[in-house]
Amino acid sequence: MTQYASKKNVCKLAVAAVLSCMAVSSQAEILIGSSVSSTGFASFLGEPEEQTLKILVEDINARGGVGVKGEKIRLISYDDASDANKARTFATRLVEDDEVVAIIGGSTTGATMAIMPVVEEAGVPFISLAGAIEITQPVRKHTFKTPHTDRMACAKIFEDMKKRDLHNVGLLSGSDSFGSSMRKQCLDIVDEYGITVVGDEVFGPTDADMTPQLTNLKNKDGIQTIMVMGLGSGPAIVTRNYSQLAIDLPLYQSHGVASDAFIELAGAKEAEGIRLPGTPLLVASLLAADDPQRPAVQAYKERYESKTGKPVSTFGGYAHDALYLIVDAIERAGSTDPAAIRDALEATQGLVGTTGIYTMTPEDHLGLDLTAFRMLEIRDGKWKIIE
């Protein structure tokens, strides 16, 4: 009797185990990884990116999940603390231990370049949130990105300079990977716009005063405008020093500072008149009623600001677009296999994001053109569209 009861209990346990496995199988999660700079010098990039991903995953799951099966997303996120070596370590962990099907991250160019070898070897699709052109040119099989490239930003700025008959420019770039890459790209194409570089200065990531560099540029013969390329606090310091030196020349900044936080850090009075290429997120309320990006931009802006109590930023928008690119790819592929997701990402056609409208090909893992940029100017502490 005891032996029979024991066998009966074993059978019950076995049936329970099978049912449990079936339940787990039917509730399978889509594991998506992220490694962003939530802290450290690039936290102004990574914090809104991390918050955006968490908010959107929560919203997608609440609306019924992904695809016809309604699979839920589980976000596995790490903070690389603005350290490229940590970004590589976390990418390895996401691939080998967490077994994610895709990765979003690389807030900075340095972090992205550290992650890329890991995902390429593992065959896991990766969408970068950094700007350098080297991320997608040449094309790597598993690496994509959502921000415009630094080369595109150079072109947009030079187009505007040409319209204003500004033909002699002084460059001031950060020595970090973003500033160095953008400087290289600008120097490579500046001649195409009939513009001459009459001065070329650099600032370091810990510099607290850029008046020597600005003074050098101010004194260059024939200089008509100054262009700053950098991330973090550096461009804001440049802006304050610019005002202190009373330099009476148009000032351009890069898309690396396209956020309300830059105006707050630099000072609205000091930043008055600065121009830079940005995304529709910064001017959501000014978009035309028939602008195809208006619905996506306004929906994200309202959701993010109501959830966090903070102004929306371009950088969070990069993460927004990355997540929806992956979700769209999974739904079109009908699969969560990394190889299938990669193939579907490469076949993305006309996906409307906050940064632009993405159409990718085997030769283009960004999928945006110059029209995705809007030339903006700071007036009375606010962003205005000037074209």
Side-chain angles (χ1 to χ4, degrees):
M1 186 73 174
T2 303
Q3 184 178 10
Y4 172 77
S6 177
K7 288 181 178 179
K8 187 175 181 180
N9 288 336
V10 168
C11 289
K12 285 182 178 180
L13 289 172
V15 171
V18 170
L19 291 174
S20 177
C21 289
M22 289 174 62
V24 170
S25 177
S26 65
Q27 298 172 6
E29 296 175 308
I30 301 171
L31 304 183
I32 296 176
S34 76
S35 175
V36 297
S37 303
S38 303
T39 60
F41 76 88
S43 61
F44 70 99
L45 303 171
E47 184 182 7
E49 291 166 354
E50 179 187 36
Q51 290 179 322
T52 294
L53 291 174
K54 290 180 177 178
I55 292 168
L56 296 183
V57 166
E58 178 183 317
D59 289 349
I60 291 169
N61 289 342
R63 290 197 298 264
V66 178
V68 294
K69 296 180 181 179
E71 293 174 291
K72 300 297 191 290
I73 297 172
R74 178 154 68 93
L75 180 68
I76 302 175
S77 58
Y78 295 106
D79 170 20
D80 64 31
S82 306
D83 184 324
N85 290 325
K86 288 184 179 180
R88 182 184 179 92
T89 297
F90 290 138
T92 301
R93 184 181 300 177
L94 286 167
V95 168
E96 296 181 357
D97 299 337
D98 300 319
E99 298 182 338
V100 299
V101 299
I103 296 175
I104 296 170
S107 300
T108 65
T109 296
T112 290
M113 301 305 282
I115 292 171
M116 283 165 54
V118 176
V119 297
E120 291 300 327
E121 182 179 354
V124 173
F126 165 52
I127 301 184
S128 167
L129 308 178
I133 195 171
E134 287 86 356
I135 296 168
T136 52
Q137 291 186 22
V139 171
R140 279 87 169 179
K141 185 173 182 179
H142 298 90
T143 300
F144 302 80
K145 71 193 293 289
T146 52
H148 312 81
T149 68
D150 42 18
R151 192 181 186 93
M152 294 167 69
C154 295
K156 193 71 174 179
I157 292 172
F158 291 152
E159 279 186 355
D160 192 68
M161 287 182 182
K162 188 174 180 179
K163 290 176 183 176
R164 300 170 80 184
D165 291 323
L166 302 173
H167 302 292
N168 295 324
V169 63
L171 303 181
L172 179 54
S173 55
S175 61
D176 62 344
S177 55
F178 175 86
S180 298
S181 176
M182 187 167 178
R183 173 185 174 275
K184 177 182 177 183
Q185 296 304 318
C186 285
L187 289 173
D188 191 43
I189 66 171
V190 65
D191 290 344
E192 299 174 16
Y193 296 85
I195 295 172
T196 301
V197 176
V198 296
D200 188 3
E201 299 282 336
V202 177
F203 63 87
T206 60
D207 288 357
D209 181 14
M210 282 68 150
T211 54
Q213 296 96 319
L214 286 172
T215 300
N216 288 340
L217 292 175
K218 178 184 178 182
N219 293 331
K220 294 294 182 181
D221 289 340
I223 190 167
Q224 295 176 295
T225 183
I226 292 176
M227 175 180 175
V228 183
M229 296 159 282
L231 295 172
S233 61
I237 295 172
V238 170
T239 301
R240 293 197 297 270
N241 292 159
Y242 207 86
S243 177
Q244 291 162 1
L245 291 170
I247 299 176
D248 189 22
L249 297 172
L251 178 60
Y252 287 85
Q253 293 275 0
S254 76
H255 59 313
V257 298
S259 71
D260 289 344
F262 167 73
I263 300 176
E264 183 178 348
L265 188 60
K269 181 180 178 182
E270 291 77 4
E272 181 73 12
I274 286 177
R275 288 190 179 186
L276 58 80
T279 71
L281 266 176
L282 295 178
V283 287
S285 63
L286 303 180
L287 297 178
D290 60 351
D291 190 307
Q293 288 183 255
R294 182 182 173 97
V297 167
Q298 292 196 329
Y300 168 58
K301 175 181 170 64
E302 291 170 5
R303 178 60 173 148
Y304 181 89
E305 293 181 350
S306 66
K307 188 74 173 178
T308 67
K310 300 177 182 179
V312 73
S313 81
T314 296
F315 316 116
Y318 297 154
H320 169 285
D321 294 356
L323 182 61
Y324 278 110
L325 279 164
I326 290 172
V327 169
D328 174 67
I330 290 172
E331 292 183 335
R332 283 187 291 107
S335 170
T336 56
D337 176 66
I341 296 172
R342 190 222 75 87
D343 290 348
L345 277 172
E346 194 174 76
T348 299
Q349 296 287 311
L351 186 136
V352 179
T354 65
T355 307
I357 300 174
Y358 297 88
T359 294
M360 297 188 185
T361 68
E363 295 77 33
D364 183 0
H365 280 196
L366 167 61
L368 298 176
D369 61 23
L370 211 55
T371 61
F373 262 138
R374 316 293 169 101
M375 184 55 70
L376 308 178
E377 183 173 292
I378 299 172
R379 296 179 187 167
D380 299 321
K382 298 184 182 300
W383 300 101
K384 302 294 181 183
I385 302 175
I386 60 169
E387 57 179 4

